[in-house]
Amino acid sequence: MVRMRDGVRLATDVYLPDGDCSPGPVLLTRLPYDKSGAFTPIALFAEYFIARGYRVVAQDVRGKFRSEGERQILVHEADDGYDTIDWISRQQWCNGDVAMWGNSYYGFTQLAAMTTQHPALKAIAPRLTGTQLGQPRLASSTDVTRRVEWAETYLYPLSFFHDNDNLFWSVDWQTRPYLASIEAFIAANGGSSRSFDQWYPRAHPLPVYRSVAHPFDARAIPTLYTIGWWDNCAPWSWHDVEAMSERAAWRDALHIVIEPIDHYSHELGDPNAVEYPTVDQWRARIPRILGPSADFFDVYLRGVKDIRLPRVRYTVARAGDQGRGDLRESDVWPPVGEEVRLVATQDSALVLERTGTVPSTSQESTRQWIHDPDDLVPTPAPNPFKSILDPGDTERASRHPGVLSFRSEPLLEDVEIVGKVQAGGCFRSTGPSMDVFVRLMDVDETGARFRIARGDIHIVDSTSETSVEITMDYAGYLVRAGHHLEVELASSDFPEFVPLPGTGADPWAAVETALNTQRVLVGGRRGFSVTMTTTQSIREGDST
């Protein structure tokens, strides 16, 4: 039980090689998921790192499982991280060098601790996470546009920070208001929830990063950032990589690994992927998951000279192939390539135009689709955190009447899309506000679809025409010759994202709903398009 500055004690496990108390580098992880449970097999992770020459410390965050103190999401992680690192640095089995590692929330605890700038913290390896985990997507935002509200905004703090234990539950999405399910959950489990109240119905600023105004105002330290192409939390990771790349010191300290995985680290093309791995299955997976971090720590904590550590390692994935795809290296992200636009037309086609060419001058017109809050476009994956393990019925989602699609001619050659994908266009709605979801799909000869990239935006006032850019983050994907590229537009992705009722009411509290007609401009110079970067020229059908 390690004492924090305010006297609260946090439950902490220490793994030493055969009980050896001699000094060595220490790897710390701090998590809310039970350091001694099956949900996150920390003991097996520690086994791997110890075999690589490290001591390992794992800690239940404040208020969780065996740790004492007030349970509140986010706000204690910076100070508690500093105090734990300070305690570790004074132990006889620590040589003064500490690094941190972990996924998701225990990736965030690294970023929070990093901002306190403890001198013993020499490197971090955040994985599938981001500093914006502390800035949830909220319906109460007053921005003109924002990203669409994620359902996990309110479900996560109730599942993982309402109780000492983890409480797995789900909203009754068949009954409005959705808030009634939350109120029933809270009433059945203690009658109040501080972590929920801090965000609903109005978000309150949380003192997450006390030492700095912006997390990357802190002193730069070597950082290995791991991102999943199909991680539903990837927008947080990309936000951080872009913010770090804008700061010279952080840019020099940053290494990036981008893998074809979802949030639970299931890998595209892995025939042995299972939802609940056995101990032996975990041991087989762990080198893939932790190996890049161990190499990174060997270089920056142990000074190993013969390990090659590229600035960027990324996989160009291919749907339908066995194996993870082609592993590439680069000194910069994104790699240099040719920028092209996929331009939507009135007849539901996608025309490819290269940057620098004269843009399409076809007549401007409007296409439309219906947002029906009582017949929502389904999220394909049953669990968006495990979208590689179970991608669900992508074709059912694409065929939904609330989806507007545009498709290219078959590609004559393989096309490698690597880098940022961005959509843009002019939208309006008969409703007071509007959500727009964009998906870039690979469609093979049989009609089977696989998602390459996606993005979303919420337009606060959609009663008049609004021109927007929609971030679709980044992609690393090979589209085979003979396949089509398809772009889908919709106004719901349910239940991964909270759907608008169509009336302008709070989506969590709304009971009444209304149909909205959504419109997008196509053709002309303002028409809808998707911009992407390819590593080679594209030829499509008989067009140029």
Side-chain angles (χ1 to χ4, degrees), residues 134-154:
Q135 302 174 37
R137 302 179 179 189
L138 297 169
S140 58
S141 170
T142 57
D143 296 336
V144 174
T145 63
R146 57 172 171 80
R147 299 200 81 156
V148 177
E149 184 182 341
W150 199 28
E152 285 295 313
T153 294
Y154 297 130

Side-chain angles (χ1 to χ4, degrees), residues 15 35-37 40-48 50 58 283 286:
Y15 296 84
K35 62 179 173 55
S36 307
T40 304
I42 297 299
L44 297 179
F45 294 161
E47 176 184 80
Y48 176 83
I50 282 176
R283 285 195 173 113
I286 282 173

Side-chain angles (χ1 to χ4, degrees), residues 21-102:
C21 290
S22 61
V26 178
L27 306 183
L28 165 66
T29 189
R30 306 185 59 254
L31 67 162
Y33 306 127
D34 187 359
K35 62 179 173 55
S36 307
F39 184 68
T40 304
I42 297 299
L44 297 179
F45 294 161
E47 176 184 80
Y48 176 83
F49 280 132
I50 282 176
R52 294 288 297 255
Y54 296 95
R55 291 91 175 97
V56 177
V57 175
Q59 185 178 78
D60 291 329
V61 300
R62 183 179 292 241
K64 292 294 296 181
F65 294 93
R66 300 154 193 82
S67 286
E68 301 172 347
E70 175 192 52
R71 183 171 47 258
Q72 188 178 11
I73 191 170
L74 303 172
V75 299
H76 299 290
E77 310 309 354
D79 289 348
D80 287 353
Y82 181 98
D83 293 351
T84 303
I85 294 167
D86 194 63
W87 176 81
I88 291 171
S89 69
R90 292 183 279 106
Q91 305 308 304
Q92 63 173 333
W93 36 263
C94 177
N95 66 359
D97 291 338
V98 180
M100 295 183 71
W101 63 276

Side-chain angles (χ1 to χ4, degrees), residues 367-437:
R367 293 294 306 276
Q368 66 184 45
W369 71 95
I370 299 297
H371 170 57
D372 183 353
D374 297 319
D375 184 16
L376 296 162
V377 179
T379 300
N383 184 342
F385 290 90
K386 302 177 182 179
S387 61
I388 292 295
L389 180 70
D390 184 1
D393 192 345
T394 305
E395 292 188 43
R396 173 173 169 262
S398 298
R399 291 193 304 267
H400 191 278
V403 174
L404 178 64
S405 298
F406 303 88
R407 182 183 288 194
S408 76
E409 292 294 321
L411 299 174
L412 294 179
E413 300 170 335
D414 291 354
V415 173
E416 191 174 279
I417 302 170
V418 178
K420 194 163 192 175
V421 183
Q422 190 91 4
C426 297
F427 297 87
R428 70 179 302 173
S429 173
T430 58
S433 58
M434 180 181 186
D435 287 343
V436 179
F437 294 90

